[in-house]
Amino acid sequence: MDTKGRLVAGSHNRNEFVLINADEIGRVTSVKELSGQICQICGDEIEITVDGEPFVACNECAFPVCRPCYEYERREGNQACPQCKTRYKRIKGSPRVEGDEEEDDIDDLENEFDFRSNYSRDPHQVAEAMLSAHLNIGSHAHTSGISTPLDLDSSSVPSGIPLLTYGQYDVGISSDKHALIIPPFMGRGKRVHPMPFPDSSMSLPPRPMDPKKDLAVYGYGSVAWKDRMEEWKKKQNDKLQVVKHQGGNDGGNFDEDELDDPDLPKMDEGRQPLSRKIPIPSSKINPYRIIIILRLVILGFFFHYRILHPVNDAYALWLTSVICEIWFAVSWILDQFPKWYPIERETYLDRLSLRYEKEGKPSELADIDIFVSTVDPMKEPPLITANTVLSILAVDYPVEKVACYVSDDGAAMLTFEALSETSEFARRWVPFCKKFSIEPRAPEWYFAQKVDYLKDKVHPEFVRERRAMKREYEEFKIRINALVSMAQKVPEEGWTMQDGTPWPGNNVRDHPGMIQVFLGHNGVRDVEGNELPRLVYVSREKRPGFDHHKKAGAMNALMRVSAIISNAPYLLNVDCDHYINNSKALREAMCFMMDPTSGKKICYVQFPQRFDGIDRNDRYSNRNVVFFDINMKGLDGIQGPIYVGTGCVFRRQALYGYDAPVNKKPPGKTCNCWPKWCCLCCGSRKKNKKVKSTDKKKKMKNREASKQIHALENIEEGIEGIDNDRSLLMPQVKFEKKFGQSPVFIASTLLEEGGVPKGATTASLLKEAIHVISCGYEDKTEWGKEVGWIYGSVTEDILTGFKMQCHGWRSVYCIPKRPAFKGSAPINLSDRLHQVLRWALGSVEIFFSRYCPIWYGYGGGLKWLERFSYINSVVYPWTSIPLIAYCTLPAFCLLTGKFIVPEISNYASIIFMALFISIAATGVLEMQWGRVAIDDWWRNEQFWVIGGASSHLFALFQGLLKVLAGVNTNFTVTSKGGDDGEFSELYLFKWTSLLIPPLTLLILNIIGVMVGISDAINNGYEEWGPLFGKLFFALWVIVHLYPFLKGLMGKQDRLPTIIVVWSILLASIFSLLWVRVNPFVSKGGIVLEVCGLDCD
C-alpha cells in the first residue's frame, strides 16, 4: 500500500480524512485519489472496471449507479435508468433477466449459470467479488462470472439438502449415502468456514458410486483423468528434493529410476516433520510422580492428625492454622498436577527451508504481521522501542513477508518522530546485520556485548564496517535523546509537525486515528538497494465517553488495520521492550504453525520470557525461571502453555473466534461385511454411538463460544424464511454483528491463508483502515467478547489464551537454544511489587467475570488438567489471606506462649518429617528435570511470600472494590530500564503502601523471637524445648522476607543499614541475657553482712 510517505489521519464517525506531510502536488493527487464517483442510490463508491474506467450502468446519460444497485433495479425494479428512463441493457457478467435481447458480444451462455465452477475458485477471487460493491477494485469478479450474495436468486436454494461432509467421512452416514460432490475451495486453498452465502454446488443431486459400474463412467480411467494424473506425478517429482545422507548409496547419489521408489518420499528430509516432542527421561519423571503420590498420601495422614488433635487452650490459633493449611493443600494440587506430563520440543529449521524455500522459486513461507505496543514514551523510552523495531526489521525472514505495526496508544509525537528516525537508520542497519549475520540484531544490546565480536567472522571488511556502524548508531542515539529532551516541555499551542501542520494527537484523550507507512512502499529501500519490510505507525482514534479497553483494545485495532493492509495469516506480538534476540525466531514458530501434520490445530506458539539487566542474584525473582522452565513445560504436555502477553505467534483465524478443526475418526470396518441381524451386539454399539454423537452435538450447540457460520445453516435459513431476500442477506448480517461493518475486513476473514484482494486502490484501503480504528467501530460487535483480545481484565493475555483453548485449539511452547526474545524488567522493589499487583488484579477481575475458568467453557475443548492451571492462575491472589494469617501465627505463639500443635508424639513427628521431606524432594526433582538452579528456585519461594503478603492482598481489595463498589483503579505502565548504570535501580527506594504488610510481618516476628527467647531465659531450661518449634516457624517467615528487608534498607554510602538493624537486634537479645544472667548477683540469693559501722 503506497501512501507516498504521508501521515493519514481521520475519523470515520466525523467523516474526516486528512493527508499530512504532503507537498502541493501530493495534496492535489490525494484529492484526485479520493474523488471517486458516488452512487446516487445507495451512496457507495462506484467500482473501477478492468479497463480502468468507472462502471457505467446507462450508456445514454451515464447516471452514476453502482453495479449492485444496477442489478437490483434490473431484477426487482422497472429495469430503467432513474434519470433518462432508458431501459438498462445487460452488461457482461451480470445475470440475465426477462426481456434481455440476444446479443452475441455480451452473452456467455456456456458459463453463465455454472455456479459450481464459480464458487470453487480461489478464495481471493471470492473476496474480491464480495468487495466489488464497496471498493474501487478493478477486479474480474463479475466479468468472470462470480456472483455476490445479492446476485443469487432464492430459487437456487435447494429444497433437499444432500449429505455433504466437506471432505470428511462421517461415521454416522453410511457409505452408499455419501455424495461425491467436491466441496468449494477443497481444490485451491482451504478455508476454515464457508462463505456468507448459499453454496450453489449443493443444488446438484448427490452422486453415489456403484462398485459394479466401470470407473470410467465417473471420469476415472479416462484420457483426461490419466493426463491429470501424469501432470500430478510430474509436479510431485518436481517438488521432491533428495537430500544426501552420509553413508547411504555412495554419498547420496541417486539414479533417475530411484525417484520412482514409493518409499523415497519417506526418506526425503523435506517431507519429514518440522518438529518433535522430547519427553522427559523416565529416570527423572517417574520418581517425581511417585513423590507426588506419596505427598498426597502424607497430606491425608497429616490432616487426619491435625483435625483429630485440636489444641483446646489455643483453639482459635489451631482452627486458623488448619484452615490455612487446607487452602495451601488445595492450591498445591492446582499447581502441581498440571506438571504431570512435562515435555520439551525440538525444531528442524533445515527441513522448513527444504519444504518451503526451494531454489529458483519464490519463498512459500507464510506472511507474518508483527505488533509492537507502546503507551507512554516517558516511561517506555523511545530508544528501547527503536531497538525492538530494528531487531524486527532485520529478522532472518523474507522481507516481503514481514510487516511491523507499531501501536502508539498515547498518540505521542515523540514516538512518531523517533519511529521516523528509526526507519531512516534501518536502511543502513538491516543490510549490515544480514551481511555479517550478527546476533542479536538490536544495536543497543549488540554493541553492549562483552564478548569477542570477531569470533567466527571471516569477512575482511567486518571490522571497518562495524566501527562505522557503531559510530552511526551513536549519532542515532544522540538524535533520539535530543527528541526526548525536547519533549520534556510541551508548548502551550501544542506540537507542530515539520510542514507546519498541528500534530493531530495533541489532545491524548480526543484525537483522530492516524496511520503512517514509513517503510515498505515504493521507492524506500536500504542503502544497498534491497527491499525492506513494511513499517507502519498506528494510533487509534480516541474520543471522550468511549471505553478504549487499554492494551487489549489497541491490539484489536492493530489486528484490524493489519488485515486491511497486509492480512498475514500469522501474528506476533511483542512489548516495546522485548527485542528479537534470535533472528530465526519466526522460523522456529513456523516449524510448528506450518507443519502439515499437526500445525492446523495450533492457535499460538509461546516463547519464554528472558531478561537483560537483572542483577546476578535476581533478588526479586524477575526472571521467573520456575514458571517458564517448569510450569510451562508441564502445560505443553497437556494442551499447551498459557499466553503470557508477549513473545507469542498467533494464528489469525484462531483470534477470530473460530473453533479448531475436528479430526473425524475413520469409519469402523468390523460390521460392514456382516448382515445386520447377525451382529446384535454390534447393533447395540451403533445405537450407543449414535446416542453419544447426539449428546456430543448437544454439547457443541450449548457452547457459549461463537460458532463458525456453516453453509448448511445458511441454506436452512433460506428454506425456512419467508422473506427470501432477507434470508440471503442474513449471513452478511451475522458477519457484521461479529466483525463490524467493514466489508474489506469481513472479506479478509474469509481468507485462511491471508492476502489482500488484488487491485484495491490505496485510497479505498486507507479509508477502510481509518474506519476500523475508529472509536465506535466495536459497538454492538463481538470484539473483545468472542473475537480478538478479550476485554474485562488488565491481564488480557490469560483471558485471550483461555478463550482460544476453550474452542479446542492447542498451543505450543518453544524454547530455542538461543533465547528468541529478551526484554527489560523492573529491578527495584517498588516497581516489581507494582508489576505483580497489576498481574494479580487482572486475575481477580477474571475471577469475578463470566469468563472465570471455574464455571466457564465446559463442553468445549479444554482439558481438565489445563483447566486446573487456569483456575490456579485466577485464584492465587486469594492465597494472600491465609498466607498473611499463617505468617502471623508464629509471632502470636511466641508472644502468648501457646502453640498450634499439641505435644508432639512419635507418630506426629514421623508425619511432620515425612511431609517436609516430600516437599523438599518434590522441589529437588522439579529442579532436576526442569534444569533450574537451586538459587533460582529459592528466590522464587522467597518472592512468593513477599508478593503474596503485599501485592496479592492489595489486588484482592482493589478487585473487590471494583466489583462491589464500582471503584476503578488506574492502569500503571511499568517503567522500563534506563541508562543510569548497571543495576542502578536495584537499590532505588520508592515508598509505597505495598510495603506495609510485609514490613508489619517482619517486625512482628522479630519482636516475637526476642520475646520468646527472653521468656525461655526467664522460665528456665524446661521452656527451651517447646520454644524451638515456635522459633522455627518465626525464622521461616524472616528468612523468606529477607530480600524484602534488603530492598527496604536500600544502599548507603558508608555503613549499610542492614548491619545497623541486625546490630540493634543482637544488642537487644544480649541485653536481655545480661539482665537474666547478672554476674554481680549471687546464685544463692542476697547475702547480708555486717559492714562494721555503727550506724547509731
Side-chain angles (χ1 to χ4, degrees):
M1 188 175 70
D2 184 12
T3 60
K4 299 181 178 59
R6 294 169 289 179
L7 172 66
V8 180
S11 173
H12 179 77
N13 298 333
R14 302 188 180 187
N15 197 21
E16 299 173 354
F17 193 77
V18 185
L19 296 171
I20 306 175
N21 278 347
D23 52 13
E24 293 301 323
I25 299 176
R27 293 178 188 275
V28 174
T29 305
S30 66
V31 172
K32 289 182 179 179
E33 287 178 355
L34 298 176
S35 60
Q37 284 189 333
I38 303 298
C39 175
Q40 299 301 313
I41 297 178
C42 66
D44 288 342
E45 292 187 8
I46 297 178
E47 69 178 55
I48 304 299
T49 62
V50 184
D51 301 328
E53 299 296 332
F55 172 78
V56 178
C58 179
N59 294 327
E60 300 295 332
C61 64
F63 184 70
V65 176
C66 63
R67 183 183 286 269
C69 292
Y70 156 78
E71 293 176 353
Y72 179 82
E73 185 69 22
R74 277 171 43 83
R75 186 176 65 249
E76 305 291 343
N78 55 13
Q79 303 181 359
C81 173
Q83 179 169 289
C84 66
K85 307 303 179 184
T86 304
R87 189 183 189 280
Y88 278 138
K89 293 184 178 180
R90 176 176 175 267
I91 299 175
K92 187 175 181 180
S94 297
R96 299 175 61 87
V97 297
E98 185 179 356
D100 285 343
E101 299 177 359
E102 297 293 337
E103 301 180 40
D104 296 335
D105 56 338
I106 63 172
D107 287 338
D108 190 11
L109 299 179
E110 294 181 0
N111 301 317
E112 182 176 358
F113 300 103
D114 188 8
F115 294 108
R116 183 171 182 268
S117 61
N118 291 340
Y119 290 126
S120 61
R121 294 175 183 263
D122 193 277
H124 289 269
Q125 297 181 5
V126 183
E128 292 177 24
M130 292 185 62
L131 299 180
S132 61
H134 302 276
L135 291 179
N136 293 326
I137 299 179
S139 66
H140 303 272
H142 290 277
T143 57
S144 61
I146 299 180
S147 302
T148 60
L150 293 174
D151 299 334
L152 294 178
D153 193 80
S154 60
S155 61
S156 63
V157 180
S159 58
I161 303 173
L163 298 174
L164 296 180
T165 54
Y166 282 86
Q168 294 175 334
Y169 196 98
D170 195 344
V171 183
I173 304 175
S174 60
S175 59
D176 59 340
K177 295 294 183 64
H178 276 277
L180 291 181
I181 302 171
I182 300 176
F185 302 99
M186 193 60 75
R188 298 181 57 190
K190 297 180 180 178
R191 57 192 170 109
V192 295
H193 56 85
M195 308 303 295
F197 49 83
D199 197 339
S200 61
S201 64
M202 295 181 183
S203 61
L204 298 177
R207 188 185 180 194
M209 285 184 61
D210 188 355
K212 298 179 181 179
K213 292 184 179 181
D214 187 9
L215 289 178
V217 177
Y218 300 97
Y220 299 102
S222 61
V223 177
W225 176 77
K226 291 181 179 179
D227 292 341
R228 289 197 298 269
M229 287 299 298
E230 292 296 331
E231 185 180 356
W232 179 81
K233 287 183 179 180
K234 184 178 179 181
K235 289 182 179 179
Q236 293 301 313
N237 288 332
D238 290 341
K239 292 181 179 180
L240 186 62
Q241 292 188 358
V242 181
V243 179
K244 296 181 180 180
H245 297 279
Q246 294 181 355
N249 197 14
D250 298 333
N253 297 322
F254 295 93
D255 298 331
E256 292 181 359
D257 297 336
E258 292 179 347
L259 289 175
D260 296 330
D261 185 2
D263 295 330
L264 186 57
K266 299 178 182 178
M267 300 297 295
D268 178 25
E269 189 77 12
R271 292 172 180 262
Q272 295 296 318
L274 303 180
S275 64
R276 72 182 181 101
K277 295 180 182 179
I278 305 177
I280 304 298
S282 58
S283 59
K284 295 181 179 180
I285 196 63
N286 287 340
Y288 175 68
R289 292 170 178 168
I290 292 172
I291 290 295
I292 293 175
I293 300 299
L294 287 177
R295 186 170 170 182
L296 271 177
V297 175
I298 294 170
L299 272 176
F301 286 108
F302 172 78
F303 284 117
H304 179 267
Y305 173 80
R306 292 283 284 133
I307 294 173
L308 295 182
H309 293 80
V311 182
N312 295 322
D313 57 344
Y315 191 81
L317 295 178
W318 169 82
L319 184 61
T320 303
S321 64
V322 170
I323 294 174
C324 293
E325 288 161 0
I326 292 174
W327 179 267
F328 294 150
V330 173
S331 178
W332 171 76
I333 290 174
L334 292 175
D335 179 69
Q336 187 66 65
F337 279 92
K339 295 182 280 190
W340 189 264
Y341 301 103
I343 62 169
E344 295 177 343
R345 295 182 185 269
E346 184 180 18
T347 57
Y348 303 101
L349 300 180
D350 51 348
R351 295 179 183 176
L352 182 75
S353 298
L354 285 173
R355 184 184 291 269
Y356 296 108
E357 293 181 303
K358 300 179 177 64
E359 292 186 10
K361 296 183 180 180
S363 173
E364 297 178 6
L365 291 173
D367 294 7
I368 301 180
D369 291 338
I370 304 176
F371 297 166
V372 181
S373 57
T374 182
V375 180
D376 188 354
M378 294 301 154
K379 292 185 177 180
E380 299 167 329
L383 188 63
I384 292 180
T385 305
N387 272 271
T388 301
V389 172
L390 289 170
S391 69
I392 293 171
L393 298 177
V395 72
D396 183 8
Y397 207 77
V399 292
E400 70 276 5
K401 296 181 178 295
V402 177
C404 177
Y405 295 84
V406 179
S407 169
D408 179 17
D409 221 28
M413 187 175 173
L414 172 59
T415 304
F416 179 83
E417 295 291 347
L419 209 59
S420 177
E421 292 286 348
T422 304
S423 64
E424 183 62 29
F425 178 72
R427 298 178 61 243
R428 296 181 292 276
W429 173 251
V430 172
F432 170 75
C433 294
K434 295 187 175 181
K435 181 178 181 181
F436 299 108
S437 301
I438 66 169
E439 296 284 358
R441 299 189 177 181
E444 181 69 24
W445 302 105
Y446 170 70
F447 292 120
Q449 288 183 116
K450 297 179 180 179
V451 296
D452 182 14
Y453 63 85
L454 297 178
K455 185 179 180 181
D456 300 330
K457 294 295 184 293
V458 296
H459 205 289
E461 299 179 355
F462 173 68
V463 175
R464 177 171 53 83
E465 293 195 21
R466 184 183 185 276
R467 290 174 180 171
M469 183 55 61
K470 186 175 183 180
R471 183 174 62 253
E472 291 188 14
Y473 176 66
E474 290 173 349
E475 294 174 356
F476 168 74
K477 285 179 65 175
I478 291 175
R479 293 195 296 271
I480 297 295
N481 292 335
L483 291 174
V484 174
S485 62
M486 192 169 62
Q488 299 293 331
K489 187 177 181 181
V490 181
E492 294 182 0
E493 64 278 5
W495 296 108
T496 305
M497 304 183 71
Q498 294 179 357
D499 62 347
T501 308
W503 172 245
N506 279 324
N507 189 344
V508 179
R509 294 179 178 83
D510 188 2
H511 64 83
M514 294 176 282
I515 299 175
Q516 169 84 47
V517 182
F518 284 107
L519 298 176
H521 54 276
N522 297 333
V524 179
R525 296 178 177 268
D526 62 22
V527 293
E528 296 182 359
N530 300 319
E531 188 180 353
L532 287 168
R534 183 183 279 115
L535 176 61
V536 184
Y537 169 88
V538 179
S539 182
R540 57 180 174 148
E541 181 185 14
K542 286 191 175 181
R543 302 296 180 191
F546 287 89
D547 189 357
H548 301 291
H549 301 289
K550 301 172 184 176
K551 181 182 176 181
M555 298 303 294
N556 285 336
L558 282 184
M559 191 175 171
R560 295 190 294 270
V561 168
S562 63
I564 300 296
I565 299 176
S566 54
N567 194 30
Y570 301 105
L571 312 173
L572 164 65
N573 90 289
V574 292
D575 290 340
C576 66
D577 61 320
H578 272 71
Y579 64 90
I580 297 181
N581 183 64
N582 184 350
S583 62
K584 297 185 183 296
L586 301 184
R587 294 177 179 269
E588 297 274 356
M590 290 302 105
C591 285
F592 300 104
M593 288 294 195
M594 300 186 70
D595 193 297
T597 57
S598 60
K600 291 296 182 181
K601 295 196 68 173
I602 297 175
C603 57
Y604 60 84
V605 177
Q606 178 66 61
F607 292 89
Q609 293 185 16
R610 307 299 187 202
F611 300 98
D612 286 316
I614 298 177
D615 62 301
R616 183 182 61 185
N617 296 323
D618 192 14
R619 179 185 295 176
Y620 307 121
S621 189
N622 280 286
R623 293 191 180 95
N624 216 350
V625 179
V626 173
F627 174 76
F628 285 112
D629 288 355
I630 295 180
N631 295 64
M632 296 287 267
K633 288 180 182 178
L635 291 175
D636 198 16
I638 306 170
Q639 198 176 344
I642 63 175
Y643 168 43
V644 296
T646 183
C648 188
V649 178
F650 290 95
R651 184 182 300 276
R652 187 185 284 267
Q653 294 292 333
L655 281 170
Y656 285 156
Y658 295 121
D659 291 331
V662 179
N663 296 329
K664 291 191 177 181
K665 295 182 179 180
K669 298 180 180 179
T670 55
C671 295
N672 289 349
C673 57
W674 294 93
K676 294 182 179 179
W677 55 268
C678 67
C679 50
L680 298 176
C681 60
C682 296
S684 62
R685 285 182 193 172
K686 286 185 177 180
K687 290 181 181 178
N688 291 335
K689 280 187 177 180
K690 289 182 179 179
V691 172
K692 289 181 180 178
S693 63
T694 54
D695 292 342
K696 188 175 182 181
K697 287 180 180 178
K698 288 181 180 178
K699 288 182 180 179
M700 296 285 285
K701 288 183 179 179
N702 291 333
R703 283 193 198 177
E704 293 184 36
S706 64
K707 297 296 182 183
Q708 303 178 17
I709 303 176
H710 294 281
L712 293 180
E713 295 174 356
N714 298 338
I715 294 175
E716 289 171 354
E717 289 174 3
I719 295 172
E720 298 169 0
I722 300 175
D723 189 353
N724 290 329
D725 291 337
R726 185 178 179 183
S727 68
L728 290 174
L729 292 175
M730 277 302 292
Q732 182 71 16
V733 173
K734 285 185 179 181
F735 273 99
E736 290 180 353
K737 286 182 178 180
K738 183 172 185 177
F739 297 115
Q741 297 184 351
S742 172
V744 186
F745 179 76
I746 291 175
S748 70
T749 62
L750 306 177
L751 305 174
E752 181 186 3
E753 301 301 327
V756 180
K758 298 179 181 178
T761 62
T762 300
S764 301
L765 290 181
L766 285 177
K767 289 183 69 175
E768 285 296 322
I770 292 295
H771 178 200
V772 297
I773 62 173
S774 59
C775 54
Y777 180 82
E778 296 180 354
D779 290 348
K780 298 180 181 179
T781 67
E782 295 186 4
W783 283 99
K785 302 172 185 174
E786 302 291 342
V787 181
W789 273 258
I790 306 301
Y791 302 150
S793 172
V794 195
T795 53
E796 71 289 331
D797 44 7
I798 297 178
L799 267 182
T800 304
F802 173 64
K803 287 284 291 183
M804 282 189 283
Q805 291 188 336
C806 282
H807 281 269
W809 296 93
R810 74 151 294 129
S811 56
V812 166
Y813 195 51
C814 180
I815 310 179
K817 292 182 179 178
R818 178 180 180 86
F821 305 92
K822 280 192 174 183
S824 59
I827 61 175
N828 71 74
L829 180 60
S830 301
D831 287 345
R832 173 67 168 144
L833 290 177
H834 276 289
Q835 183 187 54
V836 176
L837 169 66
R838 183 171 64 87
W839 294 343
L841 178 60
S843 297
V844 175
E845 290 173 343
I846 297 173
F847 182 85
F848 287 109
S849 71
R850 62 185 292 261
Y851 300 115
C852 179
I854 298 176
W855 51 73
Y856 181 83
Y858 290 96
L862 192 67
K863 297 183 180 180
W864 275 101
L865 288 181
E866 192 80 15
R867 184 178 296 276
F868 276 17
S869 174
Y870 278 109
I871 292 175
N872 184 50
S873 66
V874 300
V875 301
Y876 76 90
W878 294 87
T879 310
S880 59
I881 295 177
L883 179 63
I884 292 177
Y886 209 71
C887 288
T888 56
L889 286 177
F892 280 110
C893 291
L894 288 168
L895 292 173
T896 60
K898 309 294 183 180
F899 199 40
I900 59 176
V901 179
E903 293 186 3
I904 300 178
S905 61
N906 293 334
Y907 172 74
S909 302
I910 294 174
I911 291 177
F912 290 159
M913 290 179 63
L915 182 60
F916 286 122
I917 291 174
S918 65
I919 293 173
T922 305
V924 170
L925 292 175
E926 279 185 354
M927 288 185 282
Q928 187 181 17
W929 64 256
R931 293 193 290 274
V932 174
I934 188 171
D935 54 342
D936 290 323
W937 180 84
W938 175 240
R939 294 299 183 198
N940 181 79
E941 293 293 317
Q942 287 180 314
F943 198 79
W944 176 75
V945 177
I946 296 172
S950 58
S951 301
H952 298 174
L953 181 67
F954 277 78
L956 192 58
F957 288 149
Q958 289 183 11
L960 290 171
L961 286 174
K962 183 176 181 180
V963 173
L964 301 178
V967 179
N968 248 329
T969 53
N970 293 326
F971 166 66
T972 305
V973 179
T974 307
S975 300
K976 304 301 186 288
D979 306 296
D980 302 329
E982 190 177 20
F983 313 139
S984 59
E985 291 190 359
L986 177 64
Y987 306 102
L988 184 63
F989 178 75
K990 301 176 183 178
W991 174 254
T992 173
S993 56
L994 296 175
L995 304 175
I996 296 176
L999 184 61
T1000 305
L1001 288 178
L1002 198 60
I1003 295 174
L1004 274 176
N1005 281 277
I1006 290 176
I1007 293 175
V1009 170
M1010 295 171 57
V1011 171
I1013 294 176
S1014 302
D1015 187 62
I1017 293 174
N1018 289 327
N1019 294 330
Y1021 178 77
E1022 63 276 359
E1023 291 293 329
W1024 285 97
L1027 179 65
F1028 283 124
K1030 304 172 187 177
L1031 286 178
F1032 174 79
F1033 287 107
L1035 293 176
W1036 179 87
V1037 176
I1038 294 173
V1039 168
H1040 277 77
L1041 293 176
Y1042 179 71
F1044 170 81
L1045 185 60
K1046 289 184 67 176
L1048 194 66
M1049 295 302 105
K1051 182 180 180 180
Q1052 304 293 334
D1053 294 333
R1054 298 179 182 177
L1055 186 64
T1057 312
I1058 189 69
I1059 297 179
V1060 176
V1061 172
W1062 280 108
S1063 299
I1064 295 174
L1065 177 61
L1066 293 175
S1068 302
I1069 294 175
F1070 283 118
S1071 299
L1072 294 170
L1073 288 174
W1074 182 267
V1075 171
R1076 175 60 180 164
V1077 187
N1078 192 348
F1080 297 102
V1081 178
S1082 174
K1083 298 296 181 182
I1086 300 175
V1087 179
L1088 299 177
E1089 295 181 357
V1090 179
C1091 61
L1093 296 176
D1094 188 4
C1095 297
D1096 296 332

